[in-house]
Each structure stands twice: as structure tokens, then as C-alpha cells.
Amino acid sequence: MIKKMAAGNWKMNGMLDSLKEIERLQAAHSNSKIDIVICPPAPLLLPARKKAPDLLIGAQDCHQEVSGAHTGDVSASLLKDVGAAAVIIGHSERRQAHAESSALIKEKATAALNAGLTAIICIGETLEQRQAEETLPVLKDQLEKSLPETATAQNTVVAYEPVWAIGTGLVAEPAQIGEAHRFCRAQITKQLGAKAANMRLLYGGSVKAANAAEIFKIDCVDGALVGGASLRFEDFSPIIEALETA
Ligand code: PGA
């Protein structure tokens, strides 16, 4: 049985006061059978960990080096030290705004795994690539170049997030999600072997309470990476419930 995962990516949103949302999630979902991961901005990791001992706390990025002269960056081992269990790597906003290549993402994911964190590695095509029917070759290339050889179903999660569906209100069609997820499952198994055959595959891109149940029915979808709808308890809790009962 694959343990499902609902991950909330707060991006650059939230203040100390937002920890009350995490407190409410902890109260409502402390005995969940799925993994619930909250990824707030880095300064909130430690207080979030204290508020929610039964949920998993994740970061949104890490540096590829263990330590050193890298002003403004945070190491994977420090994330682990302050209580993070996971880290999002290679989100399309970082691939685009910070020019992160798949090669760099692989280095960051390797650093995360070496520090004992679960790496949530994001992949996904742009609208131009989809319109040019390049979606599957793009996903194959990103998987081949971004996933460390040491990735297994236990230490790594892949999030398929079509770039055109992120923060836009546009959700991929169930057939598009199913095709991409089945392709990723096959490619990851081909690439890494049986140890990765059950790697969790999350869908991300405008997931909301209203569409979550339908998305969770799709073959090879093991959960979701949720942006906007993870910020408030009222929005995220029903998505978690939909996954718990899927
Ligand atoms: P969204 O973001 O749910 O707001 O579309 C998803 C993501 O970027 O992870």
C-alpha cells in the first residue's frame, strides 16, 4: 500500500500569526493515515514544528552544498536540525525565477537525501511545451536529469505540476493527469528499478476542495502538492479529508 501525501506549499506567504492554521490542522488531523506536510517559509519551520508534532514540516528549497560561504542560502542539514522532514526541490517557480536547471536540482535533491530529508522533486511542462506535444519528452528529460540514483520510494516523492496550471485556476483534465502520472511511474521504475516502483506521485496545479476528490480517483495519483488552497485551514482540511477517504 502506498501511503498517500497531502503537501501544502505556502510559497512566500504567511506570518507568525499564520501558525494558527497549522495548529488547527494538527488538532483536526493528528491521527491521519496519510502524510500531511506543511511547507511554510523557512523562518516558520521551527515554530511550525512545535505547533504540529503529528504533522510533517517541509521546506521549499535547500542549497546543494553541506555548508559554506553561500549568503542567504540554507543547508539541508539545518532544515533537518530545525525539524523539517521534507523539502520541495525544483519547483517551477525556482526553475524559472532562479534559473535552476535539472542538474542543479539533482544536486539539491542529493543534499536533501544525504541530510535525511524526503525530497519532493517537482517536474512539469509549460503551456508552450504542451501545445507543441512535448509534454512526455519534457517529463522524461526532467526525471532523467533531476532524480538522484539514490532516490527510492521511501526517500523521494515526485510532484507533477503542469506550469500552466499553477496558480491559474486551470486544472489539467483527468486524462492529461492520468497520462502524465502513468508515464512518470513507468519512467521512474525504468530509471531506478524496483526500489522506486512505488515512489509517490503528487499532482499539483490549482487543486481545491471542489476538484480534489476527482483528482484523487485518477490512476497513479498518490496525493497533491497544493499552493493557494493550503494557506487556510478551511481550504486545506477538506482536501486532506478527500485524500484520506480516496
Ligand atoms: P497552486 O500551486 O495550488 O496555487 O496552483 C501549486 C504549487 O505551485 O505547488
Side-chain angles (χ1 to χ4, degrees):
M1 257 306 262
I2 297 182
K3 193 174 191 192
K4 304 212 168 122
M5 175 181 283
N9 174 13
W10 282 17
K11 310 192 180 185
M12 198 173 74
N13 297 296
M15 292 281 156
L16 272 176
D17 185 53
S18 317
L19 293 167
K20 63 181 188 291
E21 307 294 332
I22 295 178
E23 243 171 336
R24 294 176 71 191
L25 287 168
Q26 159 74 28
H29 299 282
S30 59
N31 290 318
S32 184
K33 61 178 189 184
I34 68 166
D35 280 340
I36 301 167
V37 192
I38 314 294
C39 305
L44 295 182
L45 289 168
L46 180 60
R49 169 87 238 134
K50 289 182 175 159
K51 294 274 184 215
D54 299 324
L55 309 183
L56 301 173
I57 303 302
Q60 300 175 12
D61 178 45
C62 69
H63 196 273
Q64 65 274 22
E65 303 288 341
V66 173
S67 64
H70 304 290
T71 303
D73 283 310
V74 179
S75 70
S77 48
L78 176 59
L79 297 176
K80 175 82 176 171
D81 201 34
V82 299
V87 57
I88 299 170
I89 308 274
H91 190 281
S92 62
E93 287 152 16
R94 294 204 62 87
R95 287 184 186 258
Q96 289 181 343
H98 296 262
E100 292 194 1
S101 65
S102 288
L104 176 63
I105 287 157
K106 182 176 179 177
E107 287 183 41
K108 291 186 171 201
T110 302
L113 300 186
N114 288 343
L117 295 169
T118 297
I120 303 176
I121 301 175
C122 303
I123 58 169
E125 81 287 0
T126 63
L127 187 57
E128 294 69 33
Q129 289 166 333
R130 176 161 285 278
Q131 284 167 343
E133 297 187 8
E134 288 166 6
T135 299
L136 300 184
V138 165
L139 298 182
K140 180 171 190 275
D141 183 69
Q142 290 178 337
L143 288 169
E144 281 175 349
K145 293 183 180 155
S146 311
L147 261 54
E149 288 75 26
T150 50
T152 68
Q154 283 69 45
N155 65 19
T156 303
V157 175
V158 166
Y160 167 61
E161 301 201 300
V163 177
W164 49 273
I166 295 175
T168 57
L170 295 173
V171 186
E173 294 292 327
Q176 294 173 322
I177 299 174
E179 181 191 40
H181 278 239
R182 281 191 302 277
F183 177 81
C184 291
R185 175 80 73 222
Q187 173 62 31
I188 291 167
T189 309
K190 196 164 117 194
Q191 215 173 294
L192 297 171
K195 65 177 177 136
N198 287 335
M199 186 176 289
R200 286 175 286 186
L201 304 179
L202 312 185
Y203 171 75
S206 299
V207 176
K208 307 263 178 291
N211 58 27
E214 193 190 2
I215 292 168
F216 297 148
K217 275 192 222 138
I218 301 169
D219 194 26
C220 297
V221 173
D222 307 310
L225 180 56
V226 183
S230 71
L231 295 172
R232 291 175 56 243
F233 172 81
E234 283 80 4
D235 296 326
F236 198 33
S237 183
I239 296 173
I240 293 170
E241 277 167 25
L243 189 57
E244 285 169 341
T245 54

